[in-house]
Amino acid sequence: MCIQPLLHSRSDTDRCRFRMFAANVGKVVFETRLLVLYPAIPMAFIAHYYRFNRPWIFGLSLIGLTPLAERLSFLTEQIAYFTGPTVGGLVNATCGNATELIIAMFALHKRKIHVLKYSLLGSIITNLLLVLGSSLLCGGIANRNKQQKFDHMQVDANTLLLLLGLLCHIAPLLFNLTSIDPPKLDRTSVLQLSRASSIVMLLAYVAYLFFQLKTHTQLFESQEDQHDDNDKETASIGFWSALIWLCLMTIIISVLSEYVVGTIEDASETWGISVSFISIILLPIVGNAAEHAGSVIFAFKNKLDISLGVAMGSASQILMFVVPLCVTMAWIMGINMSLDFGLLETGCLAFSIFLTAFTLQLLGHASLSNMFPLDPSKFEAAAAPVPVGASSSGATASAEMEQKKEDPEESSEDEGGLMGLFD
């Protein structure tokens, strides 16, 4: 007689779990405006299995990466609710760069060094100019009547990290341009310098992570959370559900990235577009869709700390971690890869970093002037007209003489004390 209630309770539990699973799938898979691009994912698998024309495989894989990257942004946003803005921005930058890292590893394995360098360079420039610029623009338009604030410590730390990475890239370039050694010795010296610089970059990035997540976490905490407690948002799915979906999306992205790397030359020949243009422009735009969508969404919600953490964190992570990691892996695999990206490419990288740093410094000074406006009444006394021929020191001396006339006893005591010293 006690068996039936147990069976009913188990069936109710199973139904509840099934409903939760269906709701989870609906929120993760179907709550996106890029739902129409999902058919490109199975079509890319089918085209690769039946050996269709390779440009078709490249195009379908590129289209299929777009909604997956956008869903990565959504899942990272859910994780950010549980981990806080600092760790959430770091996770978003790491998972968003999974596409670039996987493409770089496949290109390195197939010894396509030019594709690797161009794709990583394009990712850095896209994050600094396109992602960050569109986030600041959209955030400013959406929050016209609000004051936008961001953490200057986080911006300064990422800017200095980017400048250090730029210095490590410029050193092999200058050595290669000004060297008078034979070409063979020159390449060996540039490789050794690049590998040493890569080790320094990796150690610097690890130290930055330790500084950000362990020793000085209070410096990177968002200041907006102290004022937005009343309208706090909640996560749509749980932490472990978001983490499982994140791993699943990353696996599918890795498969499609392999298809992209293997068919990029055939697509270039068929479409009449250079490999450098595809690597610098098309691949980073698709690969950075997660950062782009997430950064713009957070900027619309007036959360500039997370937007800057995503955009600048992603750029600094590629420059200081992914690039030196590829150089180190190529060193282990016996492949000659240096940090010399070329004069024009390194110049574009330097221009992007300096432009970003200058813009954020201007925005920081503007926000500080809005937060602490100057009181004009304090300057009325300083701006008072002074008679011609009278200097500021003369005005001060006359004020002291008037004060002595008003207090003759005090002045006589002072003079008596001074005369007593001489007696």
Side-chain angles (χ1 to χ4, degrees):
M1 296 182 63
C2 297
I3 298 177
Q4 290 182 353
L6 290 175
L7 293 176
H8 283 296
S9 62
R10 288 180 180 177
S11 61
D12 293 339
T13 304
D14 293 339
R15 289 176 184 175
C16 183
R17 289 178 179 176
F18 179 76
R19 289 174 184 174
M20 292 176 61
F21 176 75
N24 201 331
V25 172
K27 290 178 181 178
V28 174
V29 178
F30 297 104
E31 287 188 359
T32 175
R33 296 181 179 179
L34 299 178
L35 182 64
V36 294
L37 300 180
Y38 276 139
I41 300 174
M43 290 175 65
F45 293 150
I46 294 172
H48 181 265
Y49 181 78
Y50 287 102
R51 300 183 181 277
F52 287 0
N53 291 333
R54 297 174 73 83
W56 281 99
I57 300 175
F58 177 82
L60 292 173
S61 301
L62 207 62
I63 295 173
L65 284 173
T66 306
L68 293 176
E70 192 273 334
R71 286 290 87 187
L72 272 181
S73 172
F74 169 76
L75 294 172
T76 311
E77 182 182 358
Q78 301 304 309
I79 294 177
Y81 287 116
F82 299 96
T83 59
T86 302
V87 182
L90 180 63
V91 172
N92 200 343
T94 304
C95 296
N97 290 332
T99 305
E100 286 86 351
L101 182 59
I102 294 169
I103 290 176
M105 289 302 169
F106 280 117
L108 184 62
H109 177 69
K110 296 183 178 181
R111 298 178 182 270
K112 298 180 180 180
I113 305 299
H114 61 290
V115 175
L116 189 154
K117 288 185 176 181
Y118 286 150
S119 63
L120 295 181
L121 177 66
S123 297
I124 299 170
I125 296 176
T126 302
N127 276 298
L128 292 178
L129 300 184
L130 179 62
V131 177
L132 184 58
S134 59
S135 300
L136 294 175
L137 177 62
C138 295
I141 294 175
N143 302 277
R144 293 188 300 273
N145 300 324
K146 298 180 182 179
Q147 184 177 4
Q148 292 186 293
K149 303 176 184 178
F150 58 89
D151 187 6
H152 300 278
M153 179 65 68
Q154 182 183 4
V155 171
D156 293 341
N158 280 299
T159 302
L160 292 176
L161 205 63
L162 289 171
L163 291 175
L164 177 61
L166 177 63
L167 180 63
C168 293
H169 278 75
I170 289 177
L173 174 65
L174 294 179
F175 189 86
N176 199 11
L177 291 176
T178 60
S179 178
I180 58 175
D181 295 333
K184 187 174 181 180
L185 294 176
D186 188 19
R187 287 194 220 101
T188 304
S189 302
V190 170
L191 280 174
Q192 292 176 354
L193 181 60
S194 299
R195 290 163 180 172
S197 300
S198 299
I199 295 174
V200 172
M201 293 165 72
L202 289 174
L203 293 176
Y205 188 73
V206 172
Y208 165 73
L209 293 182
F210 187 76
F211 173 79
Q212 183 183 16
L213 302 177
K214 185 67 177 176
T215 60
H216 293 74
T217 55
Q218 70 277 3
L219 298 178
F220 294 90
E221 291 178 354
S222 177
Q223 299 177 358
E224 298 170 0
D225 296 339
Q226 302 174 1
H227 305 283
D228 297 338
D229 294 334
N230 296 327
D231 53 347
K232 229 174 189 179
E233 300 179 359
T234 57
S236 301
I237 59 176
F239 175 78
W240 291 108
S241 299
L243 195 60
I244 292 172
W245 278 107
L246 201 67
C247 297
L248 181 61
M249 295 285 184
T250 305
I251 293 173
I252 300 175
I253 286 175
S254 65
V255 177
L256 294 179
S257 300
E258 184 181 5
Y259 296 165
V260 168
V261 173
T263 57
I264 186 172
E265 283 88 358
D266 297 317
S268 174
E269 294 178 0
T270 304
W271 297 346
I273 304 175
S274 62
V275 177
S276 60
F277 180 83
I278 295 176
S279 302
I280 295 177
I281 305 299
L282 295 183
L283 290 184
I285 289 177
V286 174
N288 291 325
E291 292 94 334
H292 201 169
S295 183
V296 171
I297 288 171
F298 287 127
F300 267 111
K301 296 178 181 179
N302 200 11
K303 297 180 179 180
L304 282 184
D305 281 337
I306 304 181
S307 295
L308 293 173
V310 169
M312 296 192 70
S314 178
S316 60
Q317 190 178 62
I318 293 175
L319 185 61
M320 295 294 294
F321 178 71
V322 179
V323 174
L325 180 64
C326 291
V327 174
T328 307
M329 293 298 297
W331 185 13
I332 296 173
M333 297 169 61
I335 301 173
N336 295 333
M337 177 183 174
S338 66
L339 292 176
D340 184 8
F341 279 40
L343 182 60
L344 179 61
E345 291 80 2
T346 308
C348 293
L349 177 63
F351 175 76
S352 303
I353 293 174
F354 288 134
L355 180 62
T356 303
F358 181 71
T359 303
L360 292 176
Q361 290 297 322
L362 285 181
L363 291 176
H365 288 304
S367 63
L368 285 176
S369 63
N370 290 329
M371 291 173 62
F372 304 103
L374 297 176
D375 189 2
S377 62
K378 295 181 180 180
F379 299 94
E380 291 180 356
V386 181
V388 179
S391 61
S392 59
S393 58
T396 306
S398 61
E400 292 177 355
M401 292 296 293
E402 290 179 359
Q403 186 176 3
K404 288 182 179 180
K405 288 179 181 179
E406 293 177 358
D407 301 331
E409 296 179 358
E410 184 178 355
S411 59
S412 62
E413 289 177 1
D414 294 341
E415 291 176 359
L418 290 174
M419 294 300 294
L421 289 176
F422 286 106
D423 293 339

